[in-house]
Amino acid sequence: MLKAPDHQVAGHEAGLGKLGPLIDDLGRFYKPLQGGNRGSEEVAFYESFSSNTHIPEHIRKYFPMYYGTKIMKASTGVDHPHMVLQDLTSARVNPSVMDIKIGSRTWAPDASEAYIAKCLKKDRESTSIPLGFRLSGLQVYIDDESRFYKPDRNYIRKTGPDDVRLLLRKFVSSNPSADMEIGTGSGPGPGPDCSLASSVYGGPNGILAQLLELKAWFEDQTIYHFYACSFLFVYEKRLGLKGAWSNAEVKLIDFAHVTDANGVIDHNFLGGLCSLTKFISDILSEIEDCTGTNGQVEL
Amino acid sequence: MLKAPDHQVAGHEAGLGKLGPLIDDLGRFYKPLQGGNRGSEEVAFYESFSSNTHIPEHIRKYFPMYYGTKIMKASTGVDHPHMVLQDLTSARVNPSVMDIKIGSRTWAPDASEAYIAKCLKKDRESTSIPLGFRLSGLQVYIDDESRFYKPDRNYIRKTGPDDVRLLLRKFVSSNPSADMEIGTGSGPGPGPDCSLASSVYGGPNGILAQLLELKAWFEDQTIYHFYACSFLFVYEKRLGLKGAWSNAEVKLIDFAHVTDANGVIDHNFLGGLCSLTKFISDILSEIEDCTGTNGQVEL
């Protein structure tokens, strides 16, 4: 039985007459091929990536599984080609999810003038240029009564650097709706409490450790340049509260604008990745300063 | 006695009626304040940097010494304000010099529309966008007879990624004029011989080690964003041939477009720095593969 995903925070949404992704109950995510060259480019990336023997196994786990393409009835009711991918939230109960588009530049050098102008405008109006990344969407699970904190996409689109810092804190807080000044992150007080920061961002398997593993690869890999690609952060609060094992996952998604690296590292992606890493490591340091706990991995 | 610098490879040159830098025989470099806000912005940077107590000493050494400003007779014959700086080649005999502008974006977010358009055009036409850096000029000392290999600036301006790779090899070669296919870098053969690569790029004090020290700082510093700033690489062949001590120096120059970091790392500079680091580390690896020597520092 196919349906629209429950935990989508960014991208096109399936709806009445609207083309969007679908999921089944076997853990698969059906992404309709986008118009123009984007759909075929994304398929080409998945095909190339799946068969590339130079991708280390410890890096492959950061990418969704790819099961090929399939022509099937789309969310619009009409037959359409889809990529069959791993559904990244299928095994999760009430996942908290964040989508972050990486890179200060979201256009490839060989894109059309019109497309470059459109992207450049968005990059300048968002935090992509100042921060090297921008938030595309998020949801944070609160409890069974309040369910999710899920700020409006129009708000997300307008966030400045300080809002991004605040939202990265809210993502690991038990009171994400707190609309106060940025707090210290140490327990109840003004602002989000960051109570899940050490278990989600910190620790040997936390998000920071995963970002650092990816960073080491990006400092060296000269296979692909990932334009307009996103990180998806996913974790479950119920598991996060249980202690050490963070259950947090980082995945890379959206590959419609991947190009050949031509022997050069992806300095645009790497710069944004390092900037995001610094934001997250700062949140962990602030917590440590306040509580004396050490949620941070060795840098 | 003031005169035009002997070893300038990029930037405005002093000449009859032309405003350019001057040097004295006491090791000082007089840089005329540029028009618009650029001159005053660069002075503001040097004043801020000199007095900033958060700059670690091991990082300060990568910047030229600053001795204030002085109104003096310029190369044009007319009084003009100058910055008084350290002359980075004064103690050098026949220095080989390379100027590399770092960052895929040479414009600050708050620049004027006209300035952004002008920079973006240059960034796209050069290797700044594909590589994250571009060569602005170089000279490589050959011997007392042939003196310097100093390719024309118009050639430098038009270099593509493969030319950049070749010029980075020529910079550490005894036959930089070799105009053949890219060689393997191992002794005589087709292309530049890279005979000085391990002593200049490699080793515990070589250029790669210095770039890695700067990289560690750029991953953390949220004080300045350095737009359109350059690395200057300087070494002396006669010392390089003597063995282990590479005598190579990395310096940062040109600070007319430095802005406040506002708590964010300089992801644009860092990306370019990592890309350049990879080029240089690749040259060292190729040499090691061919000769079995190890000029490379631990990464």
Side-chain angles (χ1 to χ4, degrees):
Chain A
M1 180 61 192
L2 295 172
K3 60 171 188 170
D6 296 320
H7 304 297
Q8 195 181 344
V9 298
H12 303 282
E13 280 174 342
L16 206 64
K18 280 169 65 190
L19 195 59
L22 297 169
I23 57 169
D24 63 18
D25 46 14
L26 299 168
R28 303 208 168 179
F29 183 93
Y30 301 86
K31 182 174 180 178
L33 269 66
Q34 294 175 272
N37 290 326
R38 288 178 297 169
S40 53
E41 292 286 342
E42 188 160 17
V43 169
F45 167 75
Y46 273 113
E47 298 281 352
S48 157
F49 186 83
S50 304
S51 61
N52 192 315
T53 54
H54 297 287
I55 312 296
E57 279 313 308
H58 72 279
I59 293 302
R60 208 173 273 285
K61 71 172 186 276
Y62 292 110
F63 291 76
M65 299 285 285
Y66 171 70
Y67 306 105
T69 58
K70 186 178 177 183
I71 294 174
M72 53 186 266
K73 190 178 280 189
S75 57
T76 53
V78 181
D79 275 359
H80 191 95
H82 288 69
M83 282 166 277
V84 186
L85 302 167
Q86 175 190 4
D87 178 6
L88 300 174
T89 61
S90 72
R92 300 293 199 165
V93 180
N94 298 320
S96 294
V97 182
M98 188 176 242
D99 181 308
I100 311 174
K101 199 181 282 264
I102 303 297
S104 67
R105 176 162 52 89
T106 57
W107 47 275
D110 62 354
S112 72
E113 290 302 315
Y115 187 77
I116 290 175
K118 188 176 124 185
C119 290
L120 184 60
K121 185 166 184 288
K122 278 192 199 171
D123 295 346
R124 290 181 64 191
E125 287 172 356
S126 71
T127 63
S128 294
I129 292 276
L131 303 192
F133 64 89
R134 68 178 182 247
L135 301 186
S136 297
L138 78 156
Q139 68 175 25
V140 190
Y141 178 72
I142 303 169
D143 56 36
D144 283 346
E145 194 188 332
S146 308
R147 304 294 297 158
F148 291 96
Y149 167 71
K150 190 170 179 175
D152 187 78
R153 288 197 195 186
N154 286 321
Y155 166 70
I156 297 283
R157 215 168 277 147
K158 287 184 203 142
T159 49
D162 289 340
D163 304 308
V164 167
R165 207 176 291 278
L166 182 61
L167 287 170
L168 284 167
R169 299 172 64 95
K170 287 188 169 192
F171 183 62
V172 290
S173 291
S174 69
N175 59 340
S177 309
D179 212 9
M180 295 157 278
E181 276 189 278
I182 296 172
T184 61
S186 61
D193 58 22
C194 292
S195 58
L196 291 150
S198 14
S199 72
V200 173
Y201 289 154
N205 302 309
I207 281 177
L208 181 60
Q210 295 179 58
L211 293 179
L212 290 173
E213 188 167 49
L214 280 162
K215 172 172 170 265
W217 185 61
F218 271 94
E219 284 174 348
D220 191 56
Q221 75 88 10
T222 54
I223 309 170
Y224 302 114
H225 282 194
F226 295 89
Y227 297 104
C229 172
S230 285
F231 278 136
L232 202 69
F233 291 173
V234 184
Y235 76 91
E236 269 173 86
K237 186 176 178 180
R238 69 186 175 101
L239 296 175
L241 290 173
K242 281 188 185 161
W245 183 58
S246 82
N247 84 86
E249 269 187 328
V250 174
K251 296 279 182 183
L252 278 143
I253 56 167
D254 294 342
F255 307 107
H257 303 283
V258 175
T259 65
D260 280 347
N262 293 318
V264 179
I265 64 161
D266 190 351
H267 48 87
N268 176 64
F269 189 99
L270 178 60
L273 167 53
C274 290
S275 175
L276 176 60
T277 300
K278 182 66 163 66
F279 270 77
I280 288 174
S281 120
D282 280 353
I283 292 172
L284 287 167
S285 301
E286 286 155 21
I287 290 167
E288 197 184 336
D289 287 349
C290 294
T291 64
T293 63
N294 186 345
Q296 193 165 10
V297 296
E298 284 299 313
L299 287 181
Chain B
M1 181 61 193
L2 296 172
K3 60 170 188 170
D6 296 320
H7 305 297
Q8 195 181 343
V9 298
H12 303 282
E13 281 175 341
L16 205 64
K18 280 169 64 191
L19 195 59
L22 298 168
I23 56 168
D24 64 17
D25 46 14
L26 298 168
R28 302 206 170 181
F29 183 92
Y30 301 87
K31 182 174 180 178
L33 269 67
Q34 294 176 270
N37 290 326
R38 288 178 296 168
S40 54
E41 294 285 342
E42 187 159 19
V43 169
F45 168 75
Y46 273 113
E47 298 280 352
S48 156
F49 186 82
S50 304
S51 60
N52 192 317
T53 54
H54 297 288
I55 312 296
E57 278 313 306
H58 73 278
I59 293 302
R60 207 173 274 287
K61 70 170 186 278
Y62 293 111
F63 290 77
M65 299 285 286
Y66 171 70
Y67 306 105
T69 59
K70 186 179 177 182
I71 294 174
M72 53 184 266
K73 189 177 280 188
S75 57
T76 53
V78 181
D79 275 359
H80 191 94
H82 289 69
M83 282 166 278
V84 187
L85 302 167
Q86 175 190 3
D87 178 6
L88 300 173
T89 61
S90 72
R92 300 293 200 165
V93 181
N94 297 321
S96 295
V97 181
M98 187 176 241
D99 182 308
I100 310 174
K101 199 181 282 268
I102 304 297
S104 66
R105 176 162 52 88
T106 58
W107 47 274
D110 62 354
S112 72
E113 289 302 316
Y115 187 76
I116 290 175
K118 189 176 123 185
C119 290
L120 184 60
K121 186 166 184 288
K122 278 192 200 171
D123 295 347
R124 290 180 65 192
E125 287 172 355
S126 70
T127 63
S128 294
I129 292 276
L131 304 191
F133 64 87
R134 67 179 182 246
L135 301 187
S136 297
L138 78 156
Q139 67 175 26
V140 189
Y141 178 71
I142 303 169
D143 55 36
D144 283 346
E145 193 187 333
S146 309
R147 304 293 298 159
F148 291 96
Y149 168 70
K150 191 170 179 176
D152 188 77
R153 288 197 195 186
N154 285 322
Y155 166 69
I156 298 282
R157 214 168 278 145
K158 287 183 204 144
T159 49
D162 289 341
D163 305 307
V164 166
R165 206 176 292 276
L166 181 61
L167 287 170
L168 285 168
R169 298 172 65 96
K170 287 189 169 193
F171 184 61
V172 291
S173 291
S174 69
N175 59 340
S177 308
D179 212 10
M180 295 157 279
E181 277 189 279
I182 296 173
T184 61
S186 62
D193 59 22
C194 292
S195 58
L196 291 150
S198 19
S199 72
V200 172
Y201 289 154
N205 303 309
I207 281 178
L208 181 60
Q210 295 179 58
L211 292 179
L212 290 173
E213 188 166 49
L214 280 162
K215 172 172 170 265
W217 185 61
F218 271 94
E219 284 174 347
D220 190 57
Q221 75 88 10
T222 55
I223 310 172
Y224 302 113
H225 281 194
F226 295 90
Y227 297 105
C229 173
S230 285
F231 278 136
L232 202 70
F233 291 173
V234 184
Y235 76 91
E236 270 173 86
K237 186 176 177 180
R238 68 185 176 102
L239 296 174
L241 291 174
K242 281 189 184 161
W245 183 58
S246 82
N247 84 86
E249 271 186 327
V250 174
K251 296 279 181 183
L252 279 144
I253 56 166
D254 295 343
F255 307 108
H257 303 283
V258 175
T259 64
D260 281 347
N262 293 320
V264 179
I265 65 161
D266 190 351
H267 48 87
N268 176 63
F269 189 98
L270 178 59
L273 167 52
C274 290
S275 175
L276 177 59
T277 301
K278 181 67 163 64
F279 271 77
I280 288 174
S281 120
D282 280 352
I283 292 173
L284 287 167
S285 302
E286 286 155 21
I287 289 168
E288 199 183 336
D289 287 349
C290 293
T291 64
T293 64
N294 186 345
Q296 191 165 12
V297 298
E298 284 297 313
L299 287 180

